Amino acid sequence: MSIEDYLAGLADPLREIGEKLTPIITASLPGATGGIWHGHPVWGLGARVGQRPVCLLKAYGSYVTFGLWRGQEITDPAGRLVPGARAMAAVKLRAVADIDPALFTDWLRAAAELEKR
């Protein structure tokens, strides 16, 4: 399964959220490897999916989780990232309007820099 297949299988508005966020992710993480890992889209800096992961998308019944593996280590001026397990942090997206392209780009670039160290 591809990321496109995953998104195509989602109902609106979840599909729309994924379709809006995916280009932001790919533009913010040039050269990253994206694919399906553990059943949902993941992007990382390694040669294969799941290697040095940076972020993920995972659809649930009424929202899409956008997560950053080292999200607790990045600056979040909006205060939207919710801490999770280990160093992860995530935000729940219920509508396309929940996506702030500039903020998400900043988060992604900061998270990628952490993985490059």
Side-chain angles (χ1 to χ4, degrees):
M1 174 186 291
S2 69
I3 293 171
E4 294 78 16
D5 293 336
Y6 180 89
L7 296 176
L10 301 178
D12 286 335
L14 305 182
R15 183 179 65 250
E16 293 170 334
I17 293 167
E19 289 173 346
K20 168 82 175 193
L21 193 50
T22 299
I24 295 168
I25 294 168
T26 56
S28 301
L29 301 174
T33 302
I36 302 299
W37 191 46
H38 294 286
H40 54 82
V42 171
W43 289 262
L45 301 184
R48 65 181 190 280
V49 176
Q51 185 180 26
R52 295 175 54 206
V54 174
C55 69
L56 66 92
L57 291 180
K58 187 170 183 179
Y60 292 90
S62 61
Y63 62 90
V64 173
T65 292
F66 171 68
L68 298 162
W69 254 261
R70 295 178 68 180
Q72 292 181 39
E73 297 177 50
I74 64 173
T75 302
D76 177 22
R80 291 182 58 193
L81 289 172
V82 176
R86 300 180 197 93
M88 290 191 79
V91 61
K92 292 180 181 178
L93 307 169
R94 290 182 167 76
V96 171
D98 293 338
I99 300 169
D100 177 337
L103 177 63
F104 282 47
T105 296
D106 289 346
W107 287 344
L108 286 158
R109 289 181 178 159
E113 283 303 314
L114 290 169
E115 286 303 321
K116 291 177 183 177
R117 294 181 187 165

